[in-house]
Each structure stands twice: as structure tokens, then as C-alpha cells.
Amino acid sequence: MALAYIITEQRRTKIKQIKSSLVVLVKGAEQKYPNLPLKNYGIPLMVRRENRVQVVFPRLTQNGDVEYIYSWHELKDVQAIAPISKTNDPKLTTIKELAPIIKEHWQIEPEMSALEQQYSKINNLANLVSTSDVYSVQIDTYDRALKEVEKLLLKAEQLQKIYVRLIREALIGVQVAEYNPDSLQVSQMAFDSQYQRLKQEYQTMKDVAHAYSQLLRESRNQEEEE
């Protein structure tokens, strides 16, 4: 009974460590998937009750495109990597740099989809308002909202390209470093000035678009009350 309790606690502790870790080491990943530039290092996504861990491995296609491999592994084969752990392994250094950028990259796709839906909804309302004798005075507000969402979509597309470029360059760099370790420039990747600038602009524009959406909702609520 005591042994079972110890094993359960050890499993819970390990799961907690994996969930809180940006990076994990997966035993056998390199053998399961050929051409992984970061070998057995991946990014944990979720843990199932049956002690299965989903891990994502970034790699490049033959055409040089970035792709993500979503793979399930036994808990016993997955080891959490402490964020403060020091290493001379360029692959571990690279995945630590890449992990937060890749997670941001994952968020862009659903955000763009939501923006496209928002644009469609506002556009439909603008068309409807333009035919109204009562509400046509609000058309300028809808037009401004449409322009803000358009600019935000464009900025999101630009930012997505930056994410892909940074990830691709890092994966190429770590493979080149196998032949020339001095050529690895991972530390510069996360501080790319264009990436930082675009990310800040994107966040600012999101705030503006949100403000317009809030204005439209408040306007509709006032109309309903009247």
C-alpha cells in the first residue's frame, strides 16, 4: 500500500513538472521520427490520465517549410527539463529559445480566424446599417472598425511570417552547427528587432480593434434599450 502511494506521488510530481516545463526530453523520439533537427527535445502539450504525454517536435520539410509533429509518448519516456538548467548542448539551447516563440505562433492561427469572423460580422452589419434610415448615421463607426480589423489582419499575417522565419532559421542553424559549432547564433533569434516591433504593434492594434468592438456592442445595447 505504501509502495503504491509512493509510485502515485512520484507520477503526480512528474506530471506536474512536465506540465510546468517549456521543454522535455523524449526517449526514442529520434528513432521514431527521422530528421528531427532537435533530436529528442520537444515541447509538451498535454498529459492524459492514462499516463500519455503529447509532445510537439518542430522540424523542416524537404522544401524547407516548418512543420510540427504532434506525438503521444508514455509518461516514463518523457523527462522534464528545468528552465534554469545549464547546458553546452546547442539543441537544448535552441529548443529553449524556440519554445515560447512556437507557442506564440500556435496562437496566431486561431486569432486570425477569429478576426476574419469578426470582420465578416462587422461588414454584414455595416451593409445592413447602410440601408437604414434610422441607423445610417453610424456607418462611419462601422467603417472605422472594418479598417482597424483589416490592419490587424495584415499585421497578424506579417507576424506569422516572422514566426516561421525565426523558427526556420533556428532549425537550420542548429543543423549547420553540427559541422561548425561556432556558427550557431541562437541567442540573437529571440531578440530579433523586427519580431519585437511587430509583436508590440500587433498587441496595440488588438487593443484598438477591441475598443471598436466594445463601442459597437455598447451602441447596439443602447439601441435595444431605446
Side-chain angles (χ1 to χ4, degrees):
M1 190 70 175
L3 180 60
Y5 174 79
I6 292 173
I7 294 175
T8 300
E9 284 301 307
Q10 289 176 340
R11 184 166 60 243
R12 287 175 180 170
T13 300
K14 185 172 184 179
I15 289 174
K16 185 177 180 181
Q17 290 173 341
I18 290 172
K19 286 183 175 180
S20 62
S21 178
L22 275 177
V23 179
V24 292
L25 177 67
V26 182
K27 181 181 179 182
E30 187 179 359
Q31 287 71 37
K32 188 175 182 180
Y33 302 106
N35 303 322
L36 289 179
L38 302 177
K39 304 306 179 183
N40 293 333
Y41 295 113
I43 302 169
L45 202 58
M46 68 175 70
V47 181
R48 282 186 174 171
R49 290 183 179 179
E50 59 268 28
N51 297 326
R52 300 273 290 173
V53 183
Q54 188 178 35
V55 180
V56 180
F57 300 97
R59 74 174 180 184
L60 297 172
T61 66
Q62 290 184 345
N63 295 327
D65 297 322
V66 175
E67 70 172 352
Y68 299 122
I69 298 174
Y70 295 81
S71 181
W72 288 97
H73 300 269
E74 296 291 337
L75 180 63
K76 62 181 179 62
D77 294 331
V78 181
Q79 176 186 340
I81 303 294
I84 59 173
S85 59
K86 294 182 180 180
T87 178
N88 294 323
D89 185 349
K91 295 177 180 60
L92 179 54
T93 302
T94 300
I95 191 64
K96 282 184 174 183
E97 292 277 1
L98 275 181
I101 293 176
I102 287 176
K103 289 190 174 185
E104 289 178 11
H105 185 213
W106 290 340
Q107 293 173 2
I108 279 287
E109 201 70 41
E111 285 184 3
M112 290 179 67
S113 178
L115 284 170
E116 289 168 355
Q117 292 177 12
Q118 183 181 1
Y119 182 88
S120 178
K121 186 175 182 179
I122 296 174
N123 190 52
N124 290 337
L125 286 170
N127 291 334
L128 187 62
V129 165
S130 67
T131 65
S132 170
D133 294 330
V134 178
Y135 302 112
S136 59
V137 293
Q138 298 180 9
I139 192 64
D140 287 344
T141 302
Y142 285 91
D143 286 342
R144 287 197 300 271
L146 284 172
K147 289 178 181 178
E148 290 302 326
V149 176
E150 283 178 355
K151 289 191 292 184
L152 186 55
L153 273 169
L154 179 60
K155 192 64 65 176
E157 291 173 359
Q158 293 174 343
L159 188 56
Q160 187 181 49
K161 291 178 181 178
I162 293 292
Y163 284 134
V164 172
R165 192 198 76 199
L166 290 174
I167 296 165
R168 180 191 295 118
E169 292 300 324
L171 296 179
I172 292 174
V174 77
Q175 294 179 75
V176 171
E178 292 182 353
Y179 300 94
N180 182 12
D182 295 333
S183 68
L184 187 64
Q185 298 178 347
V186 177
S187 60
Q188 296 181 12
M189 177 195 62
F191 302 100
D192 183 280
S193 60
Q194 187 180 15
Y195 157 68
Q196 296 291 353
R197 177 177 56 79
L198 278 174
K199 190 168 73 166
Q200 182 60 48
E201 289 177 2
Y202 178 66
Q203 183 58 51
T204 301
M205 294 174 71
K206 278 174 66 177
D207 294 340
V208 173
H210 175 75
Y212 271 108
S213 298
Q214 184 65 28
L215 179 64
L216 293 176
R217 282 195 295 270
E218 291 175 356
S219 177
R220 288 198 296 271
N221 291 337
Q222 288 177 358
E223 292 165 5
E224 292 173 357
E225 291 174 0
E226 294 173 356

